[in-house]
Amino acid sequence: TITPVTVDKFNKTSTGLSGNLQTLKEELKRLEADIKNDVKGKKEFEIYLSDMHRKRSEFQKRIDENKEWLASFDDGSESLVQTYKTLLEDIKQIYGTAKECHSQGIDMLIRDFGYHVAYKRHNDTFSAIPFRPK
């Protein structure tokens, strides 16, 4: 039998269930929006991560090339430092020869043209600025 007390209990229960159902629907909408945003964020992160992997492989390639280039200096019988020292000695020898030839040229100017290193005389036909390599 249906009594006013039973109807009142039914109304209270159905109102409570209706409120709970509405709350759950709103919570479901919020969760679906969060999931949609998370999927979008995941896609952006995957693009970023892919770019980082690509850059990492490019950097690793450059590092490997630079290591190979550096190792090429140590492969020969002479190291880079020894090659530099040899070049310095060669340049020193070439410069010494140039100084000697310069000195011989000045001697020729003095002998053949009457050139005076310290000053120019009024009747000199040849003019130059004195210079002696060190």
Side-chain angles (χ1 to χ4, degrees), residues 38-127:
D38 287 347
V39 168
K40 182 180 175 185
K42 180 184 175 199
K43 187 174 183 179
E44 289 175 1
F45 181 75
E46 286 172 346
I47 292 170
Y48 175 78
L49 186 61
S50 172
D51 189 44
M52 291 294 107
H53 284 299
R54 181 187 55 79
K55 286 182 180 180
R56 180 180 182 206
S57 68
E58 288 175 5
F59 287 142
Q60 189 61 49
K61 181 181 175 185
R62 286 181 60 194
I63 288 170
D64 293 342
E65 288 172 354
N66 289 340
K67 283 182 179 179
E68 183 179 323
W69 178 78
L70 186 60
S72 71
F73 285 107
D74 294 332
D75 287 346
S77 61
E78 291 184 280
S79 69
L80 180 61
V81 174
Q82 185 59 39
T83 303
Y84 177 74
K85 288 179 180 179
T86 303
L87 286 173
L88 282 180
E89 287 300 318
D90 291 347
I91 291 170
K92 185 177 178 182
Q93 182 181 0
I94 291 169
Y95 191 71
T97 303
K99 281 179 19 179
E100 186 176 320
C101 289
H102 180 270
S103 179
Q104 291 172 1
I106 294 293
D107 291 343
M108 181 191 72
L109 288 174
I110 292 170
R111 182 181 64 245
D112 295 344
F113 296 98
Y115 175 69
H116 194 282
V117 178
Y119 63 91
K120 180 179 176 183
R121 295 174 293 229
H122 70 282
N123 61 347
D124 284 344
T125 58
F126 182 83
S127 64

Side-chain angles (χ1 to χ4, degrees), residues 19-30:
N20 285 342
L21 183 61
Q22 187 62 33
T23 302
L24 289 173
K25 283 182 182 179
E26 289 173 7
E27 183 67 18
L28 181 61
K29 283 182 183 179
R30 188 186 64 76

